[in-house]
Amino acid sequence: ERGIIVTPTIGTNYGLNEERRPGFVEHQTRVLRWQEESGIRIMSGTDAGVSSFELYAEHRYVKAYELAGFSNPRIVDLLTCHTAAGLGLGDKIGTLGHGYSADLLVLDGNPLEDLNALRRPLLVMARGRYQPPPSPERPVQSGAGGQP
C-alpha cells in the first residue's frame, strides 16, 4: 500500500548463528514466514555494502526461503522479478523480454522443480556479455562498488 519492500537480510551462516544464539534459525524462519503470510513485499538482497563479498551467493538465502515454506516458483520470482521491481528496475531487468537488459542465467536443471539447479550455472550473460560461471575452483568475488 505504501510501497515499502523488506529485504529480510537473512543470516546466511546458519550454523555459526545457531551456535552463537540457539533458536536463531527457528526465529528467523518464523519471522520470514510471518512476513510472507502477512503480504509484506519481500525482495532478496544483502547488507554487505560495497566492500568485497561473494557474488552468486543467493543460494544461501534460498535455504531460508525453503525453511519458511516458500514454493520453488515463489523463490525464483523473489530472486528475479520481485527484487528487480523492488529496486525500481522492474521495467529493465528481472525477466526475459524485448527491451530488457540481456541478463541470462542458463542452469543445469529446472529451479522450479529443483532449487539446487541454481548452484549449477552453465552460462551467465550480464548486459549481453558472457561471464564465466563461478565454480568451486574459481568463486566470483566483487570489489569496491560491486564490480567483478
Side-chain angles (χ1 to χ4, degrees), residues 59-60 62-63 66 72 75-76 107-121:
H59 64 271
R60 295 178 184 157
V62 168
K63 185 65 178 172
E66 283 183 294
N72 289 11
I75 293 170
V76 171
L107 304 169
D108 178 14
N110 182 351
L112 298 177
E113 297 170 2
D114 174 18
L115 290 168
N116 286 317
L118 294 169
R119 294 175 173 232
R120 300 187 305 270

Side-chain angles (χ1 to χ4, degrees), residues 44-101:
S44 190
T46 179
D47 61 352
V50 295
S51 61
S52 185
F53 68 96
E54 183 182 352
L55 293 174
Y56 306 108
E58 289 299 316
H59 64 271
R60 295 178 184 157
Y61 293 91
V62 168
K63 185 65 178 172
Y65 299 133
E66 283 183 294
L67 287 172
F70 290 31
S71 70
N72 289 11
R74 171 67 173 128
I75 293 170
V76 171
D77 281 350
L78 187 69
L79 296 173
T80 57
C81 58
H82 288 272
T83 297
L87 294 170
L89 299 171
D91 61 340
K92 294 178 179 64
I93 64 172
T95 192
L96 295 175
H98 180 74
Y100 284 81
S101 179

Side-chain angles (χ1 to χ4, degrees), residues 39 117 130:
Y130 171 77

